[in-house]
Amino acid sequence: MAFARSVHRHLRRLTERAVGAPDSTYDCIAPCLGSDAPRDSAVIAARDRARQEFTHRLQPGSGTRCLSLLLGGLGLASIGILSSGWVGQSTGMDTEVVVILAGILIVLSLLAFALGLAAKRKFVVADGGATVTPAFPTGDTPESAQIAVVQDATGDWTWSVLHLETRAESTDRATTRAAATEQIERLQATIGSAGLLEVSESAFRLAADRDGAWRWTLVRADGSRVSAATREFDGRDDAETAVSFLKEHGPDADLIDVEGGAFTLAEHRERWHWQLVDDERTPLAESETGYAGQEEADAAAETFADRFAQAEVLDVDHVGVELHERGDGWAWRIVDDADTVVADSIGTFDTRRDAESAANAVLPALESVAVIVSGEPTFERYRSGGEWHWRLVDETDHVIARSAAGTPERGGTDRAIERFGETARDAAVVEIEAAEYEVYPASETAEDRTAPAAGTDSRSAAVADGAGTPVPETAAETTDAESGWHWRLVTDDREVVAASSDPYADAESASAAIERVREQARDAEFIEFENAAFRVYESDAGEWRWRLLDEDGTVLADSGAEHASRGDAAEAMLTLKEQAPDADVLEIETAAFELFVTADDEWGWRLIDGTGRLVAKDPATHPTREAARGAMIRLLDHLESDVRTMDRPIFQVSGADDWHWRFVLPTGETVAVAATTDPTRDALVENLSAVRETAATAGDASIDDVAIQLYDSGDWHWRLLDRDREELADGTGSYPDREAALEAVETLTSHADEAPIFTIEDAAIRLDDGDGWSWDLVDRDREVIASAATAVDTKRELVADIADVRRLAPLAEPVEFGVASFDLVATEDDRWRWQLRDEDGRVVAIGSDRYDSKETARDAVSEVRRLIDRASVLAIDSAAFELHADDDEWVWRLVDEYDSTMVESTQTYATRTAAREAIADLKAHVPDGEITVDE
């Protein structure tokens, strides 16, 4: 009995550690141990826990652990049994011990079997993916089945059919517990009446879906899918017709193998598309649009081959200029590296050569282009006709003032802009009725003294010439020529009628000189001479003198002495006349107007006072004596005009039908004129307020040949202007803010010098580096004809691909299909699959498997031919169990009337009979099986 008690202790330890052992295990063992076997609290607690766990489920991992312990116990018991004879002989024990050990071995074997099954029944629940054992069948009827519903790690619900062990599992997942339960209830309603179908060869399965559309599926003997229909059929007859075509022509269908390049055709959404492939069936190019029929797609592929071979590659790094036809002429437009038109010329040209010349003129100018902003007042200086000019643009983008004349150097224009901007705000408004005397200070610089009066021609330039005249004898007329005062008589159109010959000390002296001119001119005689002349005159001091003047009034000789009488002066003069016999003798007692001829055979006039001094001179010359006389008469006509001191610039206004203004400096230089006219004087004066303010606040910009103007019209845009503000091109893009527009302009101007000029004759190959490098074949209107089938990583690879297309496309022939033809195609993941096409190239079947290489796919076609040839045709119209042989073992699945798998076996069966018995067992117990849910 000591040995029995020792065995009892080991058994108790095993029972305590073997979680899940039912109390029947202990109850079966205890009688064998005898009445002295202890039933202490530890054993009883272990028994209760075992009962509870068998009623519900085993704890995670307990099956494996207990199985190990029980196997150890079995080994121990086996040793006891084998050694029982030796023990009995050596210890004198009877056979009772042997019987006890045999009973222990039997019970533990049953327990090990149960735990082994429990260790196999594991599934994943939603909580962290822990492994648990599904509910074990319970109840009074041990043959009943249970259906366990469990939530997996993804949140979907699955279920398993349990009958002592897991017999079958669902193939679909349900998103909710209710949906899973609904599927189970449908299974329970269906399984009892499901038929039995044994599939020993490949088969075409025909079935209708819940919408009544029919499809076919080709499966192997083991139930794995080979192919499926590429479209749905309205009725069973149509589906059977399609299968008949496959059965009849599939086993003998040719395999199309491309050598070099080929055009393949495919129908998508009732439109035909072509694709150029190489000998590895790698797609190289494809049509952009579909065609109504196969013949049209064939013709389009042939046209593509011709156009692609001749097409120019548009390799535009940043910007380029395209010459294109527009209307009845040619135009140019700027495109970026994405072939987006960023600017289009406004005008058209008669020939492409003219458009190219215009583009060639614009591109270099863009390198140093001025950027101006609409709405910002600006002085714009520009070159035209070899001279510099300027204009003033207000905030409404209108030119309101411009330079009166050009200057050969930019500096002259800069000074004019500076004077106008600094003085326009305070300049007075002056209107000259007919003519006025203007008393003005002399120029401050030599440049100002010698600069011609801007805005006037030779007939209106007010320049006094006092060369050769005597120094004034009146102190008031003696002054520094650079700081003195002058006068001029000007008409309303700024024609200078007469001007002073010498500077005066101040404005009053100059005004007094005007009065003397009036006095002298009223009584002046008219004298005309063409040659040099001697002149005798009396000075203001009462002394007599003589001078020899040439025909233009220059003093050639002077008496150098004073004479008491006219006779003495005349006698001295006559002595000299012997040396100048052709000189006239003029005796001047009063002032005189002299008409004279210049060295250039031009005529002019001058006013000489009674003393022989040059008082006033015509600042212009005239082609005829009559014209000079008319100019002299104009002085007399305006002799009594008002005198005005002009020590500041003025806005001189004038008008006949319309009014305009000119901005005149004290020197008489007109530096600015109005860009527009006004209907009335009041309107002009009112608008001058805006001119004054704009001139005082305007910025400045220099325009060589062209300018880019930014403008805001909700979004920002830009346009290209020439030096005269005429629009050359309009930008086609829009930008959210000024900075973005300026950035786009800077991109254009910084790469303009390298921009190519091109023309798309028929088609062009456009490069695109969006998501990888690819190309498009476009026509003149930028309509995409064809595209690269795939993108590559680098531009170098793309250039190589383009070369491949150029090489293969001209020689490629359309793939010709027989009644039925197998075609190998590459998939998006760089694998291969087969397609079966009819004689029109339509895909009627697609392989379900994908292969790593073209050779493997080619080998698979042989198997497909055999499977099609041997395949039976099964019409699925009710639920049925299907038996399939799998590597000499049998599996089954339950398929509903829609050819959807409801449940499939979780194990294989060695014989057909075993599989059929398992099906029968499920048909008997699943309809009434209890549904348990694992939370």
Side-chain angles (χ1 to χ4, degrees):
M1 293 303 293
F3 181 79
R5 291 180 181 274
S6 175
V7 173
H8 167 73
R9 287 194 299 272
H10 286 290
L11 178 60
R12 186 179 65 183
R13 293 192 190 99
L14 290 175
T15 306
E16 289 174 350
R17 299 179 64 184
V19 179
D23 66 336
S24 59
T25 303
Y26 185 87
D27 292 340
C28 291
I29 298 173
C32 299
L33 299 178
S35 58
D36 295 331
R39 299 176 64 93
D40 56 24
S41 57
V43 175
I44 295 173
R47 181 199 62 191
D48 293 339
R49 286 198 305 272
R51 180 186 296 114
Q52 180 180 2
E53 291 302 323
F54 267 88
T55 303
H56 296 88
R57 63 175 62 87
L58 292 175
Q59 294 298 324
S62 63
T64 303
R65 184 170 62 253
C66 293
L67 181 61
S68 299
L69 293 173
L70 291 174
L71 291 176
L74 287 174
L76 180 60
S78 300
I79 294 172
I81 294 172
L82 295 175
S83 61
S84 59
W86 176 81
V87 172
Q89 295 175 2
S90 62
T91 61
M93 293 182 183
D94 54 21
T95 59
E96 182 181 5
V97 175
V98 177
V99 174
I100 293 173
L101 292 177
I104 293 173
L105 178 61
I106 295 171
V107 173
L108 291 181
S109 298
L110 294 174
L111 181 59
F113 178 74
L115 291 177
L117 293 179
K120 292 175 62 178
R121 293 193 299 276
K122 306 238 183 240
F123 55 85
V124 179
V125 297
D127 186 13
T131 302
V132 300
T133 304
F136 194 86
T138 62
D140 297 334
T141 305
E143 294 298 322
S144 64
Q146 287 188 344
I147 303 174
V149 182
V150 62
Q151 191 176 25
D152 64 13
T154 64
D156 293 333
W157 292 82
T158 61
W159 47 270
S160 302
V161 177
L162 310 172
H163 182 60
L164 295 180
E165 59 177 322
T166 302
R167 294 292 186 87
E169 290 181 345
S170 61
T171 58
D172 296 331
R173 296 180 181 273
T175 57
T176 64
R177 181 197 299 177
T181 303
E182 181 180 353
Q183 291 178 0
I184 294 171
E185 292 174 348
R186 182 168 173 263
L187 170 68
Q188 290 177 317
T190 304
I191 194 170
S193 60
L196 180 61
L197 178 66
E198 183 175 327
V199 181
S200 58
E201 291 289 349
S202 58
F204 282 101
R205 306 171 61 87
L206 302 179
D209 59 21
R210 289 177 173 80
D211 297 327
W214 283 78
R215 303 181 66 91
W216 62 259
T217 305
L218 176 62
V219 297
R220 297 180 178 88
D222 61 2
S224 60
R225 177 178 293 187
V226 178
S227 177
T230 58
R231 66 184 185 92
E232 297 178 343
F233 302 94
D234 295 334
R236 175 172 174 172
D237 291 343
D238 295 334
E240 289 178 344
T241 301
V243 171
S244 297
F245 174 84
L246 297 177
K247 289 284 293 177
E248 182 178 356
H249 302 290
D252 299 323
D254 294 332
L255 175 61
I256 298 173
D257 203 353
V258 176
E259 295 183 2
F263 286 106
T264 62
L265 302 179
E267 186 180 17
H268 304 295
R269 297 180 180 179
E270 299 182 354
R271 304 287 290 180
W272 284 89
H273 298 257
W274 61 259
Q275 191 176 69
L276 176 66
V277 298
D278 62 12
D279 54 358
E280 292 294 324
R281 297 308 297 270
T282 302
L284 300 178
E286 58 190 12
S287 58
E288 181 67 18
T289 59
Y291 301 91
Q294 183 177 355
E295 293 182 0
E296 290 85 345
D298 279 338
E302 184 177 351
T303 302
F304 160 77
D306 295 337
R307 300 177 83 173
F308 196 89
Q310 302 297 326
E312 179 182 0
V313 176
L314 303 184
D315 190 6
V316 177
D317 284 337
H318 295 90
V319 293
V321 177
E322 180 192 1
L323 308 178
H324 65 103
E325 289 185 276
R326 186 173 65 196
D328 296 332
W330 284 82
W332 56 266
R333 57 190 173 198
I334 301 175
V335 299
D336 61 12
D337 51 3
D339 199 36
T340 301
V341 178
V342 298
D344 203 352
S345 64
I346 297 300
T348 57
F349 305 88
D350 293 336
T351 65
R352 181 167 61 184
R353 184 67 183 88
D354 293 338
E356 183 178 5
S357 298
N360 274 321
V362 167
L363 288 177
L366 289 175
E367 297 182 48
S368 58
V369 68
V371 179
I372 57 179
V373 181
S374 177
E376 296 183 359
T378 307
F379 282 104
E380 297 176 355
R381 61 178 67 82
Y382 59 96
R383 289 179 63 87
S384 179
E387 292 187 317
W388 284 89
H389 301 261
W390 63 266
R391 55 181 168 253
L392 177 62
V393 182
D394 66 6
E395 66 275 3
T396 65
D397 207 34
H398 289 94
V399 178
I400 58 175
R402 61 177 67 252
S403 56
T407 59
E409 301 294 335
R410 172 174 166 168
T413 298
D414 291 343
R415 288 191 294 273
I417 291 174
E418 182 179 358
R419 291 169 187 162
F420 185 57
E422 291 177 352
T423 60
R425 180 175 283 173
D426 300 323
V429 178
V430 174
E431 179 181 355
I432 298 176
E433 292 292 342
E436 281 188 0
Y437 290 98
E438 293 178 344
V439 176
Y440 62 94
S443 304
E444 295 182 356
T445 64
E447 286 182 327
D448 292 333
R449 289 198 314 273
T450 58
T456 61
D457 57 19
S458 61
R459 299 179 59 82
S460 62
V463 181
D465 185 2
T469 58
V471 177
E473 299 177 7
T474 303
E477 297 176 351
T478 304
T479 184
D480 184 355
E482 293 185 358
S483 60
W485 288 72
H486 292 267
W487 62 265
R488 58 180 170 255
L489 177 61
V490 297
T491 62
D492 57 350
D493 60 357
R494 298 303 301 178
E495 178 186 358
V496 180
V497 177
S500 60
S501 59
D502 296 308
Y504 299 90
D506 49 42
E508 290 74 13
S509 300
S511 299
I514 293 173
E515 186 57 36
R516 287 196 300 274
V517 169
R518 288 172 174 168
E519 293 175 357
Q520 297 289 335
R522 291 188 190 104
D523 301 326
E525 297 179 358
F526 292 98
I527 301 174
E528 302 180 18
F529 63 94
E530 299 180 3
N531 301 315
F534 285 100
R535 177 184 298 161
V536 177
Y537 64 94
E538 184 180 12
S539 68
D540 293 340
E543 298 173 343
W544 290 88
R545 294 175 178 271
W546 62 263
R547 290 182 187 140
L548 176 62
L549 307 173
D550 63 11
E551 58 272 20
D552 61 359
T554 302
V555 178
L556 299 177
D558 189 270
S559 61
E562 300 172 349
H563 302 278
S565 64
R566 175 184 293 177
D568 294 341
E571 183 178 356
M573 178 188 67
L574 292 174
T575 301
L576 183 61
K577 189 177 185 306
E578 294 177 358
Q579 301 177 11
D582 296 331
D584 297 329
V585 178
L586 302 176
E587 295 184 8
I588 301 176
E589 297 180 358
T590 62
F593 282 103
E594 296 178 351
L595 296 179
F596 62 93
V597 118
T598 68
D600 298 330
D601 294 329
E602 292 283 310
W603 286 84
W605 65 263
R606 56 185 170 235
L607 176 62
I608 307 298
D609 66 9
T611 64
R613 186 173 61 242
L614 179 63
V615 178
K617 181 180 179 181
D618 188 351
T621 59
H622 310 276
T624 64
R625 178 182 297 176
E626 288 72 17
R629 184 186 296 274
M632 180 184 66
I633 292 174
R634 282 196 296 275
L635 169 62
L636 296 176
D637 291 341
H638 301 297
L639 193 61
E640 303 303 327
S641 299
D642 295 336
V643 178
R644 172 174 46 83
T645 299
M646 185 176 172
D647 56 357
R648 292 186 303 167
I650 63 169
F651 283 103
Q652 181 185 332
V653 299
S654 57
D657 295 333
D658 294 312
W659 286 81
H660 63 278
W661 58 261
R662 68 185 77 195
F663 190 77
V664 185
L665 298 179
T667 59
E669 179 184 359
T670 300
V671 297
V673 296
T676 59
T677 59
D678 293 283
T680 64
R681 185 183 189 280
D682 290 343
L684 182 145
V685 173
E686 181 180 353
N687 291 334
L688 274 177
S689 299
V691 174
R692 295 174 191 271
E693 190 62 28
T694 301
T697 60
D700 69 278
S702 295
I703 300 174
D704 289 336
D705 293 304
V706 295
I708 290 180
Q709 184 186 54
L710 307 180
Y711 63 95
D712 183 8
S713 60
D715 289 330
W716 281 81
H717 306 266
W718 62 267
R719 53 188 162 224
L720 184 65
L721 308 177
D722 66 7
R723 63 169 65 95
D724 297 323
R725 294 185 66 82
E726 294 293 330
E727 191 171 0
L728 295 176
D730 189 20
T732 58
S734 60
Y735 309 92
D737 49 47
R738 173 174 171 174
E739 288 70 24
L742 185 60
E743 182 179 353
V745 168
E746 290 176 349
T747 300
L748 169 64
T749 57
S750 60
H751 299 95
D753 59 333
E754 60 194 41
I757 298 178
F758 62 90
T759 299
I760 299 179
E761 297 289 351
D762 179 48
I765 302 169
R766 181 176 63 193
L767 307 186
D768 181 14
D769 62 344
D771 295 332
W773 284 89
S774 62
W775 58 261
D776 293 320
L777 182 67
V778 298
D779 61 14
R780 292 182 178 181
D781 298 325
R782 291 304 194 279
E783 293 293 331
V784 178
I785 303 169
S787 304
T790 57
V792 294
D793 295 332
T794 65
K795 183 177 180 181
R796 177 176 296 181
E797 292 178 273
L798 183 65
V799 172
D801 286 350
I802 292 174
D804 288 341
V805 175
R806 288 190 189 275
R807 175 175 55 85
L808 296 175
L811 302 177
E813 295 291 339
V815 174
E816 296 184 359
F817 300 100
V819 178
S821 304
F822 283 101
D823 185 19
L824 304 182
V825 295
T827 61
E828 295 180 355
D829 56 355
D830 295 330
R831 304 181 74 187
W832 290 84
R833 71 192 308 177
W834 60 263
Q835 295 177 343
L836 185 64
R837 298 175 182 266
D838 62 14
E839 58 186 347
D840 293 326
R842 289 188 295 264
V843 178
V844 296
I846 298 178
S848 300
D849 297 327
R850 299 185 181 188
Y851 307 95
D852 293 333
S853 66
K854 184 178 179 181
E855 290 70 19
T856 307
R858 183 185 293 111
D859 294 339
V861 171
S862 299
E863 180 197 7
V864 173
R865 290 194 182 104
R866 178 179 57 80
L867 293 174
I868 293 175
D869 185 40
R870 296 181 180 181
S872 58
V873 180
L874 303 177
I876 309 299
D877 51 12
S878 62
F881 282 95
E882 294 184 353
L883 276 177
H884 299 277
D886 184 10
D887 294 333
D888 296 329
E889 292 187 317
W890 292 82
V891 295
W892 60 260
R893 62 176 180 167
L894 176 60
V895 180
D896 64 10
E897 65 272 24
Y898 305 114
D899 199 25
S900 297
T901 301
M902 302 179 68
V903 67
E904 62 184 11
S905 60
T906 58
Q907 58 182 299
T908 60
Y909 301 89
T911 64
R912 176 190 295 107
T913 301
R916 292 172 65 93
E917 289 176 352
I919 294 173
D921 191 34
L922 289 178
K923 288 169 64 74
H925 297 100
V926 168
D928 299 324
E930 178 184 355
I931 300 176
T932 61
V933 179
D934 185 88
E935 298 290 349

